[in-house]
Amino acid sequence: MEDGIAKHDGIVSSNVAIGGRPGKASKGAQESAENNRRRAVRFKSLHLLVVGFFLWILFLHAVGIYFFTKGFLLTRLVLDNKSECLLPPLKVSHTSSISGGCWHPKQFNKAIIIIIDALRYDFTVPDQANSQHFHNMLTVLHETAVGQPHNAFLLPFIADPPTATLQRLKGLTTGTLPTFVDLGANFAGTAIEEDNLVSQLREANKTLVHLGDDTWHSLFPGYFDVNLTHAYDSFNAWDLHTVDDGVTEHLLPLLAPELVNRWDVLFAHFLGVDHAGHRYGPNHPAMAAKLLQMDAILRQLIEALDDQTLLVVMGDHGMDAKGDHGGESDDEVEAALWMYSKQAIFGRSKIEYVNPPATAKERAVAQIDLVPTLSLLLGIPIPFNNLGGPIQEAFIGPDEPQWQNLAIVNALTGAQIHKYQTEYASARGLDEDATSLVQDKWLKAINHWVRLKFGRLSAVTDFQATYTAFSDYQKENLRVCRSLWASFDIPNMLQGIGILSFALVSVIAFAQSSSGDRADDVPVLLRNIGMGIPTGALIGYLPSLIIPDTFGIDGMAFGAAIGGLIGCGIAFWPNRVTNFFNNNITLWGWMAIVFTLSQSIGFASNSYTIWEDEILLFFLSSFAVVATAASVRQVNTTDRILGFYHSLLFLTLTRAASLSRLCREEQMPYCRSTYYASATSSTSATWQLVISFVVAILLPEVIKTYYQRTKSYEGSARFWIGFAFRIGLLGTAIYWTLDAADDGNWLSITSATLLNIRINLAQIILAVAFGAGTTTFIWAAPCIRVEVSPIDGSSGKTKPNPTSMTILGYANVHGSRYFLLFSGWLLGIILVQKPMGGGVLGLLALQILSLLEIVDTNNLSQSAIGPIVLALLGSFHFFKTGHQATLASIQWNAAFVALKTIHYPWSPILVILNTFGAQILTVIAVPLVVLWKQPPKKPGLLGDVARAMMRHICYYAVINLATTMWAGWLRRHLMLYRIFSPRFMTGAAVLLVVDLVGALVAVGGYRWNVIAINEVFGW
């Protein structure tokens, strides 16, 4: 057998089918058929059990990640207390009333609160160089702050990370710090149940109107006037105009005389600036256009404003150099705040403060400071959980600094904070040592207040000292709250780490310690696991029967995981453990171990984590060099030449893929981004469109050559690779060309028409990739062709002529057919990537094919190196497709590649395919390591596939365990939330995705491969 052709001589009569099916019933044939049926049933049953075992591994990983995350992600207790108008926290001379103002005389009856999503501070200040598109576009804020300092002020407005709109709106309305998990009595959706600015306005009988981002309605359901409110879908980042045009259409008419008295507070949330950043980046003409639009709208609002209405404009967060947000970089947290009134009530404490700060590093205020500021200006109580302080410019007065007023508003705010701090300490059971310094600051501040109240102090400096004392108390309390809410639940974290550790032991034991066919071990393992899970779950649930409201579901999950692990351990012990230590590890095996462990240890270093893509490049290059050396030593000439060629090709493709880069902030200035048009853009360069067409033309041709080498380019391979796959890639190239044409206004066709064409085209491609591709894979016959030809020199007239039967594609019957599944997913995932990402995934496909040839020529199908190198490729190409282990690098636009609006679950699935596409492709490719160039009836293939998949999962499980442990150990590190926590979350997400796809798609898909092949060649 060679070159993919199997030949044997024999007699073929007209009544015998090629697959061996009898033309005439006989006892022997019936027995053969019955044996075939038994083997088929056994395989199908055993295969389901193997899939079930992998799903159990997924369960263990999910439970372990859940428990660690539960203890690691910061939490705070949400108090149900509400501030009341008639119960000020401190006695003041003002008589509280809804009409005159609660706690403090109100300055305004009405307010218009404008949120320009992602309004970064440097978008609002002039720049002499005018070097960026966003410079000097939105000028009205700075102009009024300088020209009318008693009517307006502009300040940097610093957000607390994470800089996601949902978390920011919570902070802007409650005055609290964001945490990943808010514990409260009511978990009704995402609605804010704690005391907040919006609920206090409603309690004061204010009519509230909302326009724009529909996130407000999930946070405050039923709060807004249904007749005047207009909400719009907030997640379509490709749509720059629908929300803004809708807000503009309804905003200005509400200031008309016939409507102005029908509302009291108006919230308008514009999204165009944020969406322009996500789609194009800040340095793009589209951003300039949106800022100019905002400037024009604000000028019209100023003209229409009356004396009793306060106008507030703010950004909820900023954006990074590419227009993304979610993290804690300076550009992401530095938003802008501007307040304007026709009344001359604002001021500055120093004459040099008249001009707004030139940068966001000067005189910045925290976003939580908005809550007490607006509350006191509008005459409502400060929300109970607030931690912010009044903004000085809003209360210091227009002429001489009114330190007395500042002292009063800060005393009221400080007293409310003290009230909250006392309640929180009691609810949490905090000891006095935790808040001793805060108490000292409070006693000092209240002592100043008492002396002022009884007339012992009255000079301006005394009021100033009182203001300073309460301001210091507020800041110190904020610092303490940050530290309190940075307390981790160590027992839960240890539970999670424990489960992940024992799950890893199970993975390694299955991958390394079994002898013979690994699949044969699964029934015994699942039997023990099946007994351990319900037993453990019951034991875990029992404490909740004794102590209500404890353990419960968590106890059951933990018990089920431990029970299953104990059952698995009993099944493995002792023979499997003995076999494990008797295994001889080759050079390739040690290389796989070194690659995995060295990377895991390196995650303890922040610089190693930052430069992970370069480390992966080094590992892959090292493998290619070793493979080159090993191939040269091969005895067989063909193996030596093929191995040498594919090793060099693998190295070349790796270096080519490394040219695609998306730099994270910490890598600058030693990194140059090439994934997008520039470091400040979120769009592809025009020349990158060529990549999509090159992929469409060359990739099917190159894949075809691999099939032709084994004579496997037959049957469904011709249709799928030669036609459907090629047409799908060409459609993808056209899709991204139309997208670029829309961005650049190349065509006279309207954007709406281009969008409809793109959406329909993308849906057709996805249908071809996952619909037609999967159907082809499930139902297609093997990629073979049988040729029957007469043998020359036959003699005699009474016997049939001898014939020769040649089966083209026999030698790679498993690999050539299974690759059809991989290519279908490859097409779908390339579609949701930018052109550069699609080109990189094309290189990944070729790297995988080269790796398969290296594995074959070096006889490494039973080695761990193949699955581990595939895992390295998946991790490497995660970075090369424009991703980093940061929230800001998530390409949310992928949700709209084939959709106009959000549709669940399809939109999240598209984002997952975009983000983890490389890891998905490599896990689907794992069975190819043991199937490539294997004959149809090789025994033990299911076990080999299971072992290869478990080794692949082992890599990600080790990485996940390492990033989990290092995140827990370095939980007080300065870079925890910038580097270590995002890397832990990335590792956890990747592991779960790999587990799921590996079990259902890769191992699950192998079933259809075997069925199709064995229906032809027999079981």
Side-chain angles (χ1 to χ4, degrees), residues 650-935:
F650 184 92
L651 178 61
T652 303
L653 293 171
T654 301
R655 300 302 302 184
S658 70
L659 298 177
S660 173
R661 300 196 67 177
L662 177 71
C663 304
R664 57 187 294 164
E665 183 186 14
E666 296 84 359
Q667 291 177 325
M668 305 303 290
Y670 307 106
C671 177
R672 179 175 174 268
S673 292
T674 59
Y675 188 78
Y676 295 110
S678 68
T680 59
S681 174
S682 292
T683 59
S684 299
T686 304
W687 68 266
Q688 291 175 337
L689 296 175
V690 177
I691 296 175
S692 297
F693 287 96
V694 171
V695 170
I697 295 170
L698 294 185
L699 184 58
E701 286 298 319
V702 177
I703 293 175
K704 176 181 174 181
T705 62
Y706 283 87
Y707 273 73
Q708 289 175 330
R709 288 171 192 167
T710 57
K711 310 301 181 185
S712 301
Y713 195 63
E714 304 292 343
S716 297
R718 288 182 177 274
F719 165 76
W720 176 253
I721 296 173
F723 177 73
F725 184 63
R726 187 191 305 274
I727 293 298
L729 291 175
L730 182 60
T732 298
I734 295 172
Y735 175 92
W736 287 110
T737 302
L738 292 175
D739 180 72
D742 189 14
D743 291 344
N745 296 318
W746 298 347
L747 305 174
S748 58
I749 304 174
T750 64
S751 292
T753 303
L754 283 174
L755 176 62
N756 288 329
I757 295 173
R758 294 203 312 271
I759 294 297
N760 291 328
L761 180 59
Q763 291 176 353
I764 292 171
I765 295 170
L766 290 175
V768 170
F770 297 114
T774 303
T775 302
T776 300
F777 172 72
I778 291 175
W779 298 107
C783 301
I784 60 173
R785 180 162 59 90
V786 178
E787 293 182 349
V788 180
S789 56
I791 299 177
D792 295 334
S794 59
S795 60
K797 298 183 179 180
T798 59
K799 296 181 181 180
N801 291 330
T803 59
S804 172
M805 184 171 67
T806 303
I807 304 177
L808 303 176
Y810 182 92
N812 195 23
V813 64
H814 280 286
S816 60
R817 191 185 184 283
Y818 184 87
F819 192 84
L820 298 178
L821 174 66
F822 172 85
S823 61
W825 281 77
L826 175 64
L827 173 59
I829 292 175
I830 285 179
L831 172 67
V832 298
Q833 306 290 337
K834 296 282 188 179
M836 181 70 87
V840 166
L841 291 183
L843 296 178
L844 171 62
L846 300 183
Q847 284 179 282
I848 290 173
L849 288 169
S850 289
L851 174 64
L852 297 177
E853 295 292 342
I854 294 170
V855 168
D856 176 64
T857 55
N858 288 274
N859 195 25
L860 298 174
S861 63
Q862 301 300 311
S863 171
I865 192 64
I868 296 301
V869 171
L870 280 174
L872 292 175
L873 283 171
S875 299
F876 177 68
H877 286 274
F878 167 79
F879 295 102
K880 300 301 111 180
T881 51
H883 300 97
Q884 287 283 349
T886 60
L887 293 174
S889 70
I890 298 175
Q891 298 172 26
W892 298 108
N893 290 347
F896 304 99
V897 165
L899 300 167
K900 290 183 180 180
T901 59
I902 291 295
H903 289 282
Y904 294 96
W906 309 116
S907 297
I909 288 175
L910 290 174
V911 174
I912 291 171
L913 290 176
N914 171 275
T915 306
F916 305 118
Q919 289 97 334
I920 290 172
L921 289 174
T922 50
V923 71
I924 292 174
V926 168
L928 286 168
V929 172
V930 296
L931 297 179
W932 196 251
K933 293 187 177 179
Q934 296 297 337

Side-chain angles (χ1 to χ4, degrees), residues 322-346:
K322 299 187 288 73
D324 298 320
H325 57 87
E328 56 177 325
S329 67
D330 289 347
D331 282 345
E332 292 171 272
V333 302
E334 292 173 352
L337 172 67
W338 177 79
M339 287 192 180
Y340 177 84
S341 167
K342 291 289 180 71
Q343 301 180 46
I345 66 168
F346 300 139

Side-chain angles (χ1 to χ4, degrees), residues 24-45:
K24 184 175 180 181
S26 66
K27 184 176 180 180
Q30 289 176 351
E31 290 178 355
S32 176
E34 180 63 20
N35 289 335
N36 259 345
R37 189 190 66 81
R38 288 198 189 100
R39 293 189 190 102
V41 170
R42 182 182 183 277
F43 167 79
K44 293 175 182 178
S45 302

